Amino acid sequence: GALDGFQWYCDHCDNLNLYVHGNIYGEYNETEGYNIDIFDLISLVDILLDDDLNSCGYEIGDVSGDGNVNILDVVSIVQMIMSDQ
């Protein structure tokens, strides 16, 4: 198989359009694309609390870029929301 830069093309996560930096919830609007909002924050918190290592959100959950998915990523999303990205 081939890679899309993040995972195999055949994976169920659309890492090029939906599951990109900070878009943990995975919403996409045809005219506006995606935005980082409270739903992304809630989704990441749920992933961390449930220890959900297999979700698409977990795949791109390292928002802080430190190599781990943890509370620092939650803080990073809050900063993104507060600064309006």
Side-chain angles (χ1 to χ4, degrees):
L3 292 173
D4 66 7
F6 299 95
Q7 293 291 326
W8 297 102
Y9 279 128
C10 62
D11 74 11
H12 67 283
C13 301
D14 182 352
N15 301 108
L16 297 177
N17 298 302
L18 296 180
Y19 294 99
V20 294
H21 185 76
N23 192 28
I24 310 298
Y25 186 64
E27 75 272 6
Y28 184 80
N29 180 306
E30 288 293 325
T31 57
E32 299 172 19
Y34 67 90
N35 65 344
I36 310 305
D37 57 22
I38 190 70
F39 296 110
D40 299 300
L41 177 63
I42 292 168
S43 295
L44 184 57
V45 169
D46 284 345
I47 287 168
L48 291 172
L49 290 175
D50 294 339
D51 199 25
D52 184 4
L53 308 179
N54 297 313
S55 71
C56 297
Y58 185 85
E59 282 188 18
I60 51 98
D62 182 18
V63 180
S64 68
D66 67 355
N68 299 298
V69 179
N70 55 33
I71 193 67
L72 295 177
D73 301 303
V74 172
V75 171
S76 294
I77 288 184
V78 169
Q79 290 172 334
M80 292 171 81
I81 293 170
M82 298 299 288
S83 69
D84 198 28
Q85 303 165 45

